[in-house]
Amino acid sequence: MSIAAEEQQASHEHSHGAPSGLKRWLYTTNHKDIGSLYLLFSLLMFLTGGAMAMVIRAELFQPGMQLVDPHFFNQMTTVHGLVMVFGAVMPAFTGLANWMIPMMIGAPDMALPRMNNWSFWILPFAFAILLMSLFMEGGGPAFGWTFYAPLSTTYSNDNTALFVFAVHIMGISSIMGAINVIVTIVNMRAPGMTWMKLPLFVWTWLITAFLLIAVMPVLAGAVTMVLTDKYFGTSFFDAAGGGDPVMFQHIFWFFGHPEVYIMILPAFGIISTIVPTFSRKKLFGYASMVYATSSIALLSFVVWAHHMFTTGMPLAGELFFMYATMLISVPTGVKVFNWVATMWRGAISFEIPMMFAIAFIVLFTLGGFSGLMLAITPADFQYHDTYFVVAHFHYVLVTGAVFSIMAAAYYWLPKWTGNMYSETLAQWHFWMSLISVNVLFFPMHFVGLAGMPRRIPDYALQFADFNAIISVGGFVFGLSQLLFVAVVFKCIRGGESVPNKVWDGAEGLEWEVASPAPYHTFSKPPKVD
């Protein structure tokens, strides 16, 4: 369907008794409107969580206590993690799913449009509750985003109740969104859209939605047990009452490890869409990508205790989780191989989405290698709870999930808005982000290997130089994202109209494009045999 036809359809839907202005956004059941709401909300949360990261890095710029007290530092590390995971990355992917899945499978809208509206509008309230807890007497949650017992039970204050309520609402939103995705893909595909013809983004989201439905109730159980231990006298995680604090870790990570893949599988779908487009080739090994994604999802349920090697599990348990974790790297390696094989001998055009995609492939792979190091049980005893772990998961979540979201935004913004983004600003954003993100996270490997513990507001003098460099990288990366905000809003407000840019500079050539980028300028014509 062309943009004009889509706009005509949308105006027809909204002209028949639909409210206008603010009410239109409140009551909308249009998948594009809801997708836009999710994306704008996730951008706001990204900036909020980023501001907290700036507080963390400002405090760590020098050894000693400078700016904030240790309790507030702990609140920042906790809420930064929660906001980035549940408020920035997951809603961004859900927004992309809302926008693109119906169009990719030929559906007029999502299957359950009213539930779609509801699943979005409970999110701002969840995060308002979470962020307002920071202004309570005694401050907000300060027990880490993993909220381990007994920190979240015995040693927390009454912000725990608000935190638990907020997490429940986020979980409800995720489950409703996942149900919507599954029902839409299963029931509303266009005639002829068989399973093995689905775009990879649709496949990855379908598998992600099943993961969400499987693990969100586990998170709900964990936070409910924390709530009852804290306020109702139960002893699930209290050894004095016959409970076990390590059981909390098992329950949390049984949710938490599939959650990690919930935050990266849609990214794989995005990269599998962008790389073929700008390589002018079909995706190499489509079927193997589908099977690899499915096997990652299945294996994600049997690796949770690799977060817990230092809790004293039996040797057989350590060996099982070590081998399972090493095994899950295989299907991920298949994906990286397929992306590289897709680019091999392609007529690559280095547009901004492709540059973010290539950065994703290189840096996500680097994060995967450090994850493989952490999988080795005896080595993990050394790395555990150091900045090496922080470096690892930020490489897979920032240069992984966040870079893929930025790649998707640049790739689809012209389709969403009808306007081309500013190439100059986008180039500045990419290069500043790429350089600063590595200055920020790469030295963390070194301070981690040297034994610097994470989540601590002070550190030994020998780590001072590296921490100053890390913090400078953090400040530059944070400022770079303001360029992204400028690009997005400039593109929404106007700019050069897309149709004038399509195939610019390639007139008179005839070629076949396997997976065309409908609204992108290619900087050079593809090779013609």
Side-chain angles (χ1 to χ4, degrees), residues 32-204:
K32 302 187 191 88
D33 289 346
I34 295 169
S36 299
L37 286 168
Y38 267 113
L39 289 165
L40 291 171
F41 173 76
S42 79
L43 182 58
L44 180 64
M45 288 295 104
F46 178 58
L47 297 174
T48 304
M52 294 172 186
M54 295 302 100
V55 173
I56 295 166
R57 284 319 320 172
E59 178 54 58
L60 292 170
F61 188 77
Q62 286 182 296
M65 299 305 300
Q66 275 83 233
L67 300 174
V68 296
D69 65 83
H71 183 63
F72 187 74
F73 183 89
N74 292 341
Q75 292 174 55
M76 288 294 98
T77 56
T78 300
V79 182
H80 162 74
L82 289 165
V83 164
M84 286 306 204
V85 168
F86 296 106
V89 173
M90 290 172 69
F93 283 137
T94 310
L96 293 170
N98 267 288
W99 248 106
M100 301 312 301
I101 286 175
M103 291 197 276
M104 284 179 163
I105 65 171
D109 203 309
M110 295 296 278
L112 306 159
R114 288 181 185 276
M115 191 168 85
N116 207 11
N117 173 287
W118 178 232
S119 72
F120 170 76
W121 277 112
I122 62 176
L123 269 187
F125 293 96
F127 284 93
I129 291 165
L130 178 65
L131 294 171
M132 282 193 297
S133 72
L134 290 168
F135 301 98
M136 287 177 66
E137 188 179 348
F143 35 65
W145 86 272
T146 52
F147 55 100
Y148 278 6
L151 291 176
S152 56
T153 51
T154 309
Y155 300 109
S156 62
N157 61 23
D158 282 338
N159 55 48
T160 306
L162 290 184
F163 158 77
V164 168
F165 188 40
V167 170
H168 270 304
I169 299 173
M170 296 171 207
I172 292 165
S173 168
S174 293
I175 289 169
M176 288 198 291
I179 290 169
N180 217 343
V181 166
I182 292 169
V183 176
T184 303
I185 296 169
V186 172
N187 287 344
M188 298 183 70
R189 284 168 291 135
M193 177 65 78
T194 59
W195 288 110
M196 295 310 278
K197 287 182 182 174
L198 286 178
L200 245 295
F201 179 71
V202 179
W203 258 120
T204 54

Side-chain angles (χ1 to χ4, degrees), residues 196 200 268 271-293 331-346 354 361 514-515:
M196 295 310 278
L200 245 295
F268 291 165
I271 303 305
S272 301
T273 304
I274 291 172
V275 167
T277 298
F278 294 101
S279 302
R280 313 301 205 289
K281 285 172 66 186
K282 283 186 178 176
L283 181 71
F284 180 89
Y286 170 91
S288 67
M289 292 291 255
V290 174
Y291 298 134
T293 309
T332 312
V334 168
K335 287 179 168 296
V336 173
F337 172 83
N338 284 9
W339 292 324
V340 173
T342 304
M343 290 188 281
W344 181 253
R345 300 196 69 184
M354 185 63 163
I361 293 168
S515 176

Side-chain angles (χ1 to χ4, degrees), residues 222-417:
V223 293
T224 304
M225 285 187 270
V226 165
L227 189 77
T228 58
D229 268 18
K230 175 81 179 159
Y231 296 103
F232 297 101
T234 58
S235 300
F236 291 112
F237 310 128
D238 183 1
D244 183 359
V246 176
M247 184 176 75
F248 173 86
Q249 295 189 34
H250 279 290
I251 297 167
F252 177 83
W253 285 117
F254 191 78
F255 146 79
H257 203 80
E259 164 67 19
V260 172
Y261 289 99
I262 286 164
M263 289 190 287
I264 205 66
L265 290 183
F268 291 165
I270 290 164
I271 303 305
S272 301
T273 304
I274 291 172
V275 167
T277 298
F278 294 101
S279 302
R280 313 301 205 289
K281 285 172 66 186
K282 283 186 178 176
L283 181 71
F284 180 89
Y286 170 91
S288 67
M289 292 291 255
V290 174
Y291 298 134
T293 309
S294 307
S295 56
I296 287 170
L298 290 171
L299 286 169
S300 73
F301 286 100
V302 294
V303 295
W304 78 88
H306 67 207
H307 299 269
M308 301 168 55
F309 283 144
T310 57
T311 56
M313 69 178 77
L315 182 62
E318 288 178 348
L319 288 171
F320 172 81
F321 287 107
M322 178 171 80
Y323 293 141
T325 306
M326 293 167 75
L327 185 63
I328 204 169
S329 67
V330 174
T332 312
V334 168
K335 287 179 168 296
V336 173
F337 172 83
N338 284 9
W339 292 324
V340 173
T342 304
M343 290 188 281
W344 181 253
R345 300 196 69 184
I348 298 177
S349 176
F350 292 100
E351 307 293 312
I352 295 294
M354 185 63 163
M355 288 159 74
F356 269 107
I358 293 169
F360 170 97
I361 293 168
V362 174
L363 298 175
F364 172 80
T365 303
L366 196 153
F369 279 132
S370 61
L372 203 50
M373 292 170 69
L374 288 161
I376 312 299
T377 309
D380 184 77
F381 289 162
Q382 178 72 28
Y383 307 143
H384 187 80
D385 264 347
T386 70
Y387 265 82
F388 189 87
V389 179
V390 179
H392 157 68
F393 69 72
H394 280 91
Y395 262 96
V396 293
L397 285 179
V398 179
T399 60
V402 173
F403 268 31
S404 77
I405 291 163
M406 288 170 178
Y410 283 115
Y411 184 63
W412 282 314
L413 258 175
K415 181 171 183 62
W416 297 338
T417 64

